[in-house]
């Protein structure tokens, strides 16, 4: 029964029922956390071999992996990920842990020194980025930290709202856009070929406009189907903008999130540019960890086989989240949510104006949720309705309890709002 269809008395009764359910929830004394999209320890155990198999250190491309040097990263590992990411090996760098640091650094280098095709360091003028929202909070944190103004644009099922994008890039201060092309954080959207092609051929007032193509979940399918990412490097080259895209990826959610390898792909000029700046900050990446990864993963197929084992752990958790949302919230039409085919999140939209209340209620019942608004630039969700659910980390039983509790909070907040209208 939807809340709109209830009489005043029925609504009061419904509210009282939700208040009782919430009081029971508080009594349960839970201590649960569904905030961050971290792999569970079961998932980390899949890569135990990285810690237990001895590394056969050797000279690769003229560099002893144990020594300084080899700024581009280990060829063996780059070959595996070049195949998975659909980029030429020569245009792919392997770095240290955390692709986020490559994103951060590439923007800092642009701010301080400018980029190929640009005429000045970005810091010399106002800098704005387009921020498809809901999106990844840490992308937004980089912008905020560096004083880059973010312009939210709506993230849709096939990518950002391109009409809004086209309007904004007429401003020469707009230098970049964040894109998570495959299984976006948090909605699980996949950027279509058409949207990718439009981004590649976009007429921008800034001649040094960049697409930050963060392909963090490129091989992170939750079903047997694989959503192939658009070939953004190829599309941009074909459109006459070879330097426009910078692609990022990592093994954080393939092997060990705390000890992985990051990747950056781009045009030959972008790669030379990035290396010229990183050469000042490091004498080379951790090639022993890269070698360990190459030996452990073996091949692109080895990565896909490992991802199938992640899927066996993750898919039942996502199924549980979706089942509880549908059973508990579906009949009342108080929320909508995404059904991702990959990635790490479910994006839940509750009744407008109640997301902060839901998060507060959950907190007071011992369930930690990502702060309302976290998936929006500056933490401001204009409709106060979005909540990001991260099913990966808790064991299934805890996740089930947390989701049942979350559903109770969503219903109570919706009932409170309806009753006060
Ligand atoms: N990009 C996206 C879209 C993410 O969701 C995450 C982690 O949640 C990252 C990047 C972090 O990647 P890394 O561990 O390689 O820094």
């Amino acid at each position: 029964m939807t809340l709109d269809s209830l009489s005043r008395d029925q609504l009061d009764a419904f509210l009282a029922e939700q208040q009782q359910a919430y009081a029971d929830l508080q009594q349960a004394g839970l201590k649960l956390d569904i905030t961050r999209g971290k792999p569970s320890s079961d998932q980390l155990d899949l890569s135990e071999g990285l810690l237990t198999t001895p590394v056969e250190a050797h000279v690769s491309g003229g560099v002893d992996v144990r020594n300084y040097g080899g700024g581009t990263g280990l060829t063996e590992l780059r070959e595996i990920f070049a195949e998975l990411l659909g980029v030429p090996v020569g245009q792919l760098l392997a770095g240290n842990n955390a692709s986020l640091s490559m994103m951060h650094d590439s923007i800092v280098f642009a701010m301080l020194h400018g980029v190929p095709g640009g005429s000045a360091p970005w810091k010399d003028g106002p800098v704005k980025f387009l921020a498809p929202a809901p999106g990844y909070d840490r992308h937004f944190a980089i912008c905020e930290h560096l004083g880059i103004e973010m312009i939210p644009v709506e993230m849709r099922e096939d990518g950002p709202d391109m009409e809004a994008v086209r309007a904004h890039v007429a401003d020469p201060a707009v230098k970049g856009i964040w894109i998570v092309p495959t299984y976006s954080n948090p909605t699980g959207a996949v950027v279509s070929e058409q949207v990718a092609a439009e981004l590649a051929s976009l007429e921008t007032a800034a001649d040094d406009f960049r697409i930050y193509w963060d392909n963090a979940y490129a091989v992170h399918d939750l079903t047997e189907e694989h959503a192939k990412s658009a070939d953004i490097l190829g599309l941009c080259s074909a459109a006459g903008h070879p330097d426009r895209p910078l692609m990022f990826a990592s093994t954080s959610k393939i092997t060990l999130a705390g000890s992985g390898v990051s990747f950056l792909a781009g045009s030959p000029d972008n790669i030379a540019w990035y290396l010229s700046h990183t050469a000042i900050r490091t004498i080379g990446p951790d090639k022993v960890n890269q070698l360990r990864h190459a030996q452990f993963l073996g091949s692109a197929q080895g990565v896909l086989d490992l991802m199938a084992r992640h899927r066996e752990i993750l898919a039942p958790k996502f199924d549980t989240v979706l089942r509880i949302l549908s059973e508990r919230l579906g009949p009342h039409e108080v929320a909508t949510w995404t059904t991702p085919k990959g990635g790490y999140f479910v994006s839940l939209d509750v009744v407008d104006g109640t997301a902060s209340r839901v998060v507060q209620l959950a907190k007071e019942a011992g369930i930690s949720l990502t702060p309302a608004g976290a998936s929006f630039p500056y933490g401001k969700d204009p409709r106060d309705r979005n909540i990001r659910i991260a099913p990966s980390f808790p064991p299934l039983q805890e996740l089930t309890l947390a989701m049942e509790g979350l559903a109770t909070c969503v219903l109570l907040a919706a009932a409170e709002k309806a009753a006060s209208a």
Side-chain angles (χ1 to χ4, degrees), residues 59-94:
V59 173
S60 169
V63 178
D64 183 329
V65 295
R66 300 166 303 176
N67 218 329
Y68 279 137
T72 56
L74 205 73
T75 309
E76 291 96 310
L77 189 65
R78 289 162 59 218
E79 278 167 355
I80 295 174
F81 279 86
E83 187 178 333
L84 292 167
L85 296 168
V87 298
V89 184
Q91 289 174 235
L92 180 70
L93 302 176

Side-chain angles (χ1 to χ4, degrees), residues 37 98-101 103 136 139 180 185 214 216-217 250 252-253 257 345:
S99 57
L100 196 66
S101 58
M103 299 176 219
Y136 179 36
H139 287 163
V180 181
N185 175 350
D214 176 4
Y217 302 107
S250 78
S252 289
K253 282 154 188 163
F345 303 99

Side-chain angles (χ1 to χ4, degrees), residues 380-393:
K380 287 192 191 126
D381 172 0
R383 294 175 64 175
D384 187 25
R385 65 167 183 170
N386 185 257
I387 294 172
R388 187 183 74 175
I389 299 171
S392 58
F393 189 67

Side-chain angles (χ1 to χ4, degrees), residues 107-116 118-123 273 277 280:
I107 297 173
V108 169
F109 299 153
M111 292 292 274
L112 295 177
H113 308 287
V115 297
S119 51
W122 287 3
K123 70 171 170 45
W273 166 84
H277 294 297
I280 305 297

Side-chain angles (χ1 to χ4, degrees), residues 21-33 361-368 397-406 408-409:
Y22 182 69
D24 294 345
L25 181 67
Q26 279 192 307
Q27 282 293 316
L30 301 176
K31 199 172 178 307
L32 304 169
D33 188 335
L361 286 168
K363 187 173 171 211
E364 287 166 12
I367 303 167
S368 301
Q397 197 194 0
E398 279 180 29
L399 177 66
T400 306
L401 286 175
M403 285 306 301
E404 292 285 359
L406 169 59
T408 299
C409 298

